[in-house]
Amino acid sequence: MEPKRRVALVEPYLGGSHGAWAEGYAERSAHDVEVFGLPAIHWKWRMQGGHVTLAPRLAEAAAVQPFDAVLTTSMCNVPALLGLCRRSLGGVPVTLYMHENQLTFPLSEHDRVDLTYPMINWTSMVAADRVVFNSAYHRDEWFEALPGLLARFPDEKHGRFVESVRARSTVLPVGADLAALDAVPRARRERPLVLWNQRWEYDKGPEEFASAITTLADEGVEFDVALAGERFVDEPPSFEALRARLGDRLVHAGWAELDEYRRLLRSADVVVSTAHHEFYGIAVVEAIAAGACPVVPNRLVYPERVPPEWHDRCLYDDASGLVERIRWAVTNRDESAAVATALRPSLADHDWSAVTPSLDTLLL
């Protein structure tokens, strides 16, 4: 048996989906993975300065026992990290995992364009030996937008580096514990349950979801609703109104701990996304694997997540299409459950059992 290799996993934003990915991989890898992370707060400061904090820790660990590889993410300034660790890391291969990018991530109404952060993403890709995107959509969108970023600068616009970075880029799913969902019994509620399991932020489209649900409730369609997901700011006004409209039909609202979250997944008939941005869509992947029929936009990563033969049933183009597909799913429970069952085999490569050995191989 080949001896374990030693891997430094550097995650300046160790929380949420980033934290679940880092800890999930470290737990399952055939390598000896040591995680170096910082709390998942102040994301701009993490991108600007996280490497300075983490580099001495990395160097100290390497002095005790050298690393064979470095795995880091889109929240890290890779060339700056490597510069600070040049004496302790030497020439070990570096893999950059792109959970997201700051070039095509939509701005909120409170933000303005700042090229600092997409340039950290870009220079990190140039410095890394391998670049891994979490979806083909994400990879393609990045390289489509990249020339526009580089064109903003006066000279030496890096064009000659683009193809070499593209050539060493690949796609690998985030990794999810889909097998663990089978350990939770599937529960069928008296009324169909519609699940919205996204972050409670502008880019996930809470207003569109609330509008569709309100329309269906006003029609007299019978269903319950669960709002789950990480919440960083005040509750969206649309959700406040939805609470009042639904009353006891809103069976959950807010963060759900893991056991409770899995119970919600295993009792949901429908999972809905109204996202304006989605590079991967792990919440929808988990819900489909748990038995929920997806109703998702016909854009972003979702056409990649749903096999083409189910696009007409699961993907919507506009607000009326969103309402129509939710209506069909909650009034045809057996048929919508059959859709989820048919979709599940397409998710096999998203389970950690498939992702871990692939990532293990990529690193070295």
Side-chain angles (χ1 to χ4, degrees):
M1 180 181 294
E2 186 173 329
K4 284 188 175 184
R5 302 298 183 92
R6 186 157 152 77
V7 175
L9 197 164
V10 182
E11 176 49 88
Y13 197 81
L14 190 64
S17 60
H18 284 232
W21 171 83
E23 291 160 3
Y25 174 64
E27 177 185 338
R28 295 169 175 83
S29 175
H31 302 314
D32 179 11
V33 179
E34 185 171 352
V35 178
F36 299 84
L38 294 170
I41 53 175
H42 313 308
W43 72 266
K44 291 183 178 181
W45 174 227
R46 292 293 181 256
M47 288 190 75
Q48 291 266 24
H51 57 282
V52 179
T53 305
L54 292 174
R57 303 181 195 174
L58 192 60
E60 183 179 355
V64 175
Q65 183 179 355
F67 290 101
D68 298 297
V70 172
L71 172 62
T72 188
T73 75
S74 42
M75 294 302 292
C76 185
N77 187 329
V78 174
L81 176 73
L82 295 180
L84 291 169
C85 295
R86 61 191 180 278
R87 295 183 181 88
S88 53
L89 289 181
V92 302
V94 177
T95 298
L96 172 65
Y97 192 89
M98 296 297 296
H99 287 281
E100 70 285 300
N101 74 77
Q102 299 305 322
L103 176 58
T104 65
F105 199 108
L107 294 175
S108 77
E109 60 183 10
H110 307 295
D111 288 327
R112 58 181 177 81
V113 174
D114 185 341
L115 302 184
T116 302
Y117 304 100
M119 282 303 294
I120 289 174
N121 287 155
W122 167 237
T123 56
S124 294
M125 291 182 193
V126 175
D129 297 284
R130 302 172 188 84
V131 181
V132 183
F133 289 88
N134 55 3
S135 68
Y137 163 76
H138 186 187
R139 176 199 60 199
D140 296 347
E141 186 184 55
W142 167 265
F143 283 110
E144 182 178 344
L146 180 60
L149 170 67
L150 300 179
R152 291 171 175 260
F153 298 100
D155 67 355
E156 298 295 331
K157 299 182 182 182
H158 299 178
R160 67 185 184 277
F161 298 104
V162 173
E163 285 308 313
S164 64
V165 172
R166 189 197 298 266
R168 59 181 187 270
S169 296
T170 190
V171 173
L172 187 67
V174 169
D177 194 2
L178 303 183
L181 294 171
D182 291 333
V184 181
R186 179 74 182 161
R188 187 179 178 98
R189 302 173 59 88
E190 180 180 350
R191 287 190 295 249
L193 179 62
V194 177
L195 174 65
W196 193 85
N197 56 341
Q198 315 287 310
R199 278 185 292 103
W200 292 26
E201 292 191 286
Y202 69 97
D203 61 300
K204 300 302 183 183
E207 292 78 12
E208 289 89 336
F209 177 78
S211 176
I213 292 299
T214 300
T215 296
L216 290 166
D218 290 346
E219 290 178 4
V221 179
E222 288 291 316
F223 58 90
D224 291 332
V225 173
L227 302 174
E230 203 164 5
R231 175 176 164 181
F232 298 98
V233 294
D234 293 336
E235 182 169 320
S238 56
F239 279 7
E240 295 178 14
L242 198 59
R243 284 180 186 268
R245 177 66 184 82
L246 293 176
D248 63 3
R249 293 169 63 179
L250 183 61
V251 300
H252 180 91
W255 176 255
E257 296 299 332
L258 183 58
D259 289 346
E260 183 181 6
Y261 178 61
R262 285 174 174 166
R263 286 193 293 271
L264 284 173
L265 289 174
R266 291 292 279 166
S267 61
D269 293 87
V270 187
V271 61
V272 178
S273 171
T274 46
H276 301 293
H277 138 77
E278 193 64 80
F279 290 128
Y280 178 73
I282 192 167
V284 169
V285 168
E286 291 172 334
I288 297 171
C293 177
V295 174
V296 294
N298 188 18
R299 52 190 167 81
L300 308 173
V301 75
Y302 292 114
E304 184 179 340
R305 291 287 164 265
V306 177
E309 60 268 29
W310 296 105
H311 282 191
D312 288 346
R313 173 51 63 202
C314 299
L315 274 55
Y316 65 87
D317 294 311
D318 52 26
S320 63
L322 169 61
V323 170
E324 187 276 326
R325 282 160 181 76
I326 299 174
R327 184 193 297 115
W328 177 85
V330 298
T331 56
N332 296 272
R333 296 181 79 177
D334 291 341
E335 291 88 341
S336 62
V339 171
T341 299
L343 291 176
R344 181 161 186 173
S346 69
L347 304 178
D349 61 348
H350 296 255
D351 189 78
W352 275 118
S353 61
V355 171
T356 303
S358 296
L359 188 51
D360 278 349
T361 300
L362 279 174
L363 293 182
L364 300 167

